[in-house]
Amino acid sequence: MPKLRGEAFWRETLRSAHYVVAPMVDQSELAWRLLSRRHGAQLCYTPMLHAQVFLRDANYRRENLYGEACPEDRPLIVQFCANDPEVFVQAALLAQDYCDAIDLNLGCPQMIAKRGHYGAFLQEEWDLLQRMILLANEKLSVPITCKIRVFPDIDKTVKYAQMLEKAGCQLLTVHGRTKEQKGPLAGVASWEHIQAVRKAVNIPVFANGNIQCLSDVEECIRKTGVHGVMSAEGNLHNPALFEGRNPLVWEMAEEYLEIVRKYPCPLSYVRAHLFKLWHHTLQVYQQLREELAKVKTLEGIVDVNRELKLRCQEEIANQKEGEKPKEGLPFFHWICQPYIRPGPKERCRENGDSGTEKGVRGKRALEEEEDGNSELLSKNKQKKKLRNPNKSFDPSLKPKYAKCDQCGNPKGTKCVFNMCRGCCKKRAFKEVADCPGHGLLFKTKYEKSLSWQHSQRGIQTPEISQRGDAEVGETAVLKEADDS
């Protein structure tokens, strides 16, 4: 069949989808997609898959796509992160029979994306992106789509979107935040940018950002004119968001756990979903939060979920007439509802810190963390302290290592040259010397080699210091002796 493009692709293949579940690393797995589809989602994306790993690792393909084939899970778009046109297209060719389109991730702002050079950190490399999309559009039997973040400047964002459309992108998802807007600095997504892109391109556009409930979806479509709206965090805290309902948390949790029994996934995914669903309740029952973090089996997670349900039902039974939700929540904590991420100033107040001049809380000073006070230690160090109560993070108690004279790495304590092993090996080889501390015996092996040659060939043994014209031959002997 001919490959559908643009509006026809959205109408026929994606069935005019308005409600979209975002691609989320380790969070939009099959079980969660099926739960979301039961409650109003019309289109889902897979978690972001790494094209290089997908191409070389059959187990990765099976665990993340091949083993998850399910007739109910359509339409489906597979998202890849990549920075090489050939690798991206070869991975997409392996995935195209299991989905309705391939999406190129140009929106991930996390540090891992910066280190791997993909996601939003490719948004300045227009030549590379054009080559990737052109090649994919030519080789694939399914359409190519893109998910992007905006530039601060609207005009540049529009030109960026038009470039992707011209290269062959058939659908564009625009997250209305820049790559710097993440975590406590996320702020509000710009629907103005999204609206400008929608007016400037002739392909379908999805909006992403500021979606916490169904009324947000409707308002976003009205203000921006987009074809559909994508939700990530809103969906994680309330899978029934697209139904316009706020169900009881345990209803969603129990339904999700039943799907997981049929379509298993890693326990870490399940635990993360329950942390999101029960987010507000776990602020009340901190002990159960710790139990959920430590549990090692699916049955254990089911037990914690059951206990949370019983606690909430008991609280409902003892509720006084006219009592209102606490902590400024719109609903009681056992009802699915959005989590409003605190901004920098709010986070500073929560931590009892006025923050920097810009209102952004700075990182704790190293001295504060490492003075042994567990209240100031990072969570990772607190875990290490639990495993080993005698462990100290006081820098004054750490052993001091002498540095290599050559490179600054710790030197060998018995090295005759006061160097690390790498530098010592180079010098010992160059000077035909021994270093017993590092087990390097170039001089000894060289002498033995020459002695063996003398006994075999009757050649007079030259002095070690006399290299002269025989230096090349002696170097070969040294290498041979070192190999032996």
Side-chain angles (χ1 to χ4, degrees):
M1 293 179 63
K3 181 164 59 176
L4 297 177
R5 300 176 182 275
E7 292 276 349
F9 161 62
W10 173 70
R11 277 196 314 273
E12 298 181 34
T13 305
L14 302 186
R15 305 168 195 169
S16 300
H18 295 296
Y19 305 146
V20 186
V21 175
M24 297 173 284
V25 178
D26 297 346
Q27 293 286 267
S28 54
E29 82 287 354
L30 176 61
W32 187 260
R33 298 197 300 266
L34 293 177
L35 176 69
S36 300
R37 290 181 191 276
R38 289 183 184 181
H39 296 281
Q42 298 166 337
L43 170 65
C44 293
Y45 284 64
T46 65
M48 182 192 73
L49 305 179
H50 199 294
Q52 183 83 36
V53 182
F54 193 87
L55 183 59
R56 71 167 185 259
D57 192 337
N59 289 331
Y60 185 80
R61 294 195 292 271
R62 185 179 66 254
E63 291 167 4
N64 291 281
L65 187 63
Y66 291 1
E68 293 191 342
C70 174
E72 303 169 55
D73 190 33
R74 301 298 279 269
L76 176 70
I77 296 180
V78 172
Q79 187 186 71
F80 284 110
C81 67
N83 56 23
D84 181 283
E86 287 293 339
V87 170
F88 173 55
V89 171
Q90 291 301 316
L93 287 169
L94 292 172
Q96 66 179 1
D97 293 337
Y98 296 82
C99 62
D100 299 288
I102 299 293
D103 187 78
L104 176 60
N105 182 341
L106 300 177
C108 182
Q110 303 303 326
M111 185 55 65
I112 190 171
K114 185 175 182 179
R115 288 198 297 266
H117 192 53
Y118 59 80
F121 298 94
L122 294 178
Q123 67 179 15
E124 296 286 357
E125 301 187 33
W126 291 15
D127 289 341
L128 172 62
L129 297 181
Q130 280 181 314
R131 285 189 282 117
M132 292 177 76
I133 296 167
L134 280 168
L135 187 62
N137 193 40
E138 176 189 344
K139 300 288 187 183
L140 300 180
S141 62
V142 296
I144 175 75
T145 70
C146 296
K147 184 172 187 289
I148 66 172
R149 284 199 168 219
V150 300
F151 291 96
D153 180 57
I154 292 181
D155 289 339
K156 187 173 182 180
T157 304
V158 167
K159 290 177 182 176
Y160 181 41
Q162 290 174 329
M163 178 273 294
L164 296 172
E165 178 188 17
K166 187 176 179 181
C169 176
Q170 302 303 320
L171 183 147
L172 197 60
T173 301
V174 184
H175 187 156
R177 295 183 175 92
T178 65
K179 70 176 186 292
E180 290 77 25
Q181 288 181 276
K182 56 185 180 179
L185 300 177
V188 178
S190 170
W191 287 356
E192 187 180 358
H193 282 70
I194 300 172
Q195 182 187 38
V197 170
R198 171 68 189 96
K199 289 180 178 179
V201 299
N202 296 313
I203 56 176
V205 175
F206 289 160
N208 186 209
N210 302 349
I211 306 302
Q212 300 288 356
C213 56
L214 186 59
S215 61
D216 292 338
V217 175
E218 294 166 348
E219 185 183 3
C220 182
I221 293 176
R222 180 175 57 82
K223 286 190 174 182
T224 63
V226 293
H227 295 71
V229 172
M230 177 183 285
S231 175
E233 277 204 351
N235 166 261
L236 290 175
H237 288 275
N238 180 11
L241 180 152
F242 292 127
E243 284 185 319
R245 294 196 308 118
N246 294 89
L248 295 167
V249 173
W250 62 78
E251 288 181 4
M252 293 293 99
E254 288 173 347
E255 188 175 352
Y256 170 66
L257 291 170
E258 281 302 313
I259 298 174
V260 170
R261 291 183 191 277
K262 187 176 180 181
Y263 299 101
C265 62
L267 202 65
S268 59
Y269 298 9
V270 182
R271 183 185 289 111
H273 280 303
L274 262 67
F275 269 121
K276 294 286 188 183
L277 286 171
W278 285 107
H279 174 83
H280 298 292
T281 300
L282 291 172
Q283 312 305 311
V284 179
Y285 302 113
Q286 290 285 341
Q287 183 182 354
L288 290 175
R289 179 186 182 87
E290 293 176 10
E291 289 184 23
L292 181 58
K294 293 176 182 178
V295 70
K296 302 294 184 184
T297 64
L298 181 61
E299 290 306 318
I301 288 181
V302 171
D303 290 341
V304 174
N305 185 69
R306 188 182 299 113
E307 181 62 26
L308 282 164
K309 175 183 176 179
L310 292 173
R311 298 275 184 98
C312 290
Q313 289 177 332
E314 184 179 346
E315 195 173 333
I316 292 170
N318 297 328
Q319 196 174 4
K320 297 177 182 178
E321 187 177 350
E323 189 175 344
K324 294 183 179 181
K326 299 177 182 177
E327 303 297 329
L329 297 176
F331 305 104
F332 289 103
H333 61 78
W334 53 79
I335 295 175
C336 290
Q337 58 192 296
Y339 164 63
I340 308 300
R341 188 187 297 275
K345 292 182 181 179
E346 289 82 356
R347 191 173 290 274
C348 289
R349 287 195 291 269
E350 285 178 9
N351 290 280
D353 192 337
S354 60
T356 62
E357 292 180 4
K358 294 183 180 180
V360 181
R361 180 178 181 269
K363 291 186 177 181
R364 288 191 297 267
L366 191 63
E367 293 76 21
E368 288 183 340
E369 264 199 11
E370 297 185 339
D371 64 357
N373 188 340
S374 61
E375 293 182 0
L376 295 175
L377 291 176
S378 67
K379 288 184 178 179
N380 191 35
K381 289 181 178 178
Q382 288 182 41
K383 289 178 183 177
K384 291 180 180 178
K385 191 83 172 174
L386 284 173
R387 291 195 295 267
N388 181 8
N390 297 322
K391 188 172 183 63
S392 173
F393 297 100
D394 187 347
S396 63
L397 300 178
K398 291 182 179 178
K400 303 294 183 182
Y401 296 102
K403 293 182 179 180
C404 168
D405 293 343
Q406 194 74 22
C407 68
N409 287 329
K411 73 171 188 178
T413 54
K414 297 181 180 179
C415 179
V416 297
F417 299 115
N418 292 319
M419 293 181 174
C420 65
R421 194 177 196 283
C423 296
C424 176
K425 186 174 183 179
K426 292 177 184 176
R427 181 168 175 179
F429 176 79
K430 184 178 180 180
E431 298 182 6
V432 195
D434 286 350
C435 177
H438 280 124
L440 302 174
L441 305 174
F442 290 108
K443 180 179 178 181
T444 301
K445 291 179 180 178
Y446 176 62
E447 290 175 343
K448 287 182 178 179
S449 176
L450 293 180
S451 175
W452 179 82
Q453 282 189 358
H454 176 71
S455 64
Q456 293 293 317
R457 302 175 187 173
I459 301 176
Q460 184 179 358
T461 305
E463 292 295 326
I464 294 173
S465 60
Q466 295 175 351
R467 292 205 168 194
D469 296 335
E471 186 172 353
V472 175
E474 292 176 359
T475 302
V477 172
L478 275 172
K479 289 182 178 178
E480 184 181 46
D482 186 38
D483 291 340
S484 66

